[in-house]
Amino acid sequence: MASDDINQDDMADDWAAAMAEQADADEAAANPISFEELQSETNKVNPNPELEVILDIPVTISMEVGRTSITIRNLLQLNQGSVIELDRLAGEPLDVLVNGTLIAHGEVVVVNEKFGIRMTDVISPAERIKKLR
């Protein structure tokens, strides 16, 4: 429990620092530049920019088995034992999403009696950046 408190304090400090940086960024936003300009300027100064600034930012990773759409009427009728048909076939790979963005496909595995996912196909960083635009 004490380590959770320490982690929460560290996270609160990280968020406070991020908010301070955001305030500085808001001031700099008066003279915005395009992503391409930023990228070319960064490459001129340092061809291998340090990523340390972003490596500790928490993200949400989720695995999606499938999707479907149902009406609110049907949603309200769901109870224990109800079955919902998804848009995937049995055995198809799961989608691995980071903050809602597809980054890979994988398969379910069991490790030490816990579920896990083995990445079977990871989308290249270049393709992920293209999807963001």
Side-chain angles (χ1 to χ4, degrees):
M1 191 63 91
S3 67
D4 287 342
D5 291 339
I6 292 170
N7 288 339
Q8 291 294 334
D9 291 341
D10 289 343
M11 191 178 296
D13 292 342
D14 291 344
W15 277 108
M19 295 301 288
E21 288 176 20
Q22 182 62 42
D24 293 340
D26 289 343
E27 289 178 25
N31 297 320
I33 61 172
S34 70
F35 178 74
E36 289 79 14
E37 291 172 319
L38 177 63
Q39 195 171 29
S40 72
E41 288 299 317
T42 303
N43 290 337
K44 287 179 192 173
V45 175
N46 183 358
N48 297 315
E50 294 292 327
L51 296 177
E52 285 296 320
V53 177
I54 64 168
L55 292 180
D56 292 326
I57 296 173
V59 295
T60 301
I61 185 167
S62 59
M63 287 30 129
E64 186 174 279
V65 176
R67 293 181 182 201
T68 194
S69 294
I70 63 173
T71 64
I72 294 175
R73 179 182 322 281
N74 290 341
L75 178 65
L76 294 173
Q77 292 173 350
L78 294 176
N79 55 35
Q80 188 173 356
S82 295
V83 176
I84 301 171
E85 184 178 347
L86 301 176
D87 62 351
R88 298 263 176 102
L89 298 174
E92 273 192 76
L94 283 66
D95 289 341
V96 180
L97 306 158
V98 173
N99 288 347
T101 300
L102 179 68
I103 62 146
H105 298 284
E107 61 188 14
V108 176
V109 294
V110 178
V111 180
N112 298 328
E113 299 183 19
K114 292 186 177 182
F115 285 114
I117 188 161
R118 177 181 297 122
M119 304 294 191
T120 57
D121 179 35
V122 178
I123 297 172
S124 72
E127 288 296 317
R128 285 181 258 168
I129 290 172
K130 284 180 185 176
K131 288 183 179 185
L132 292 175
R133 292 183 180 175

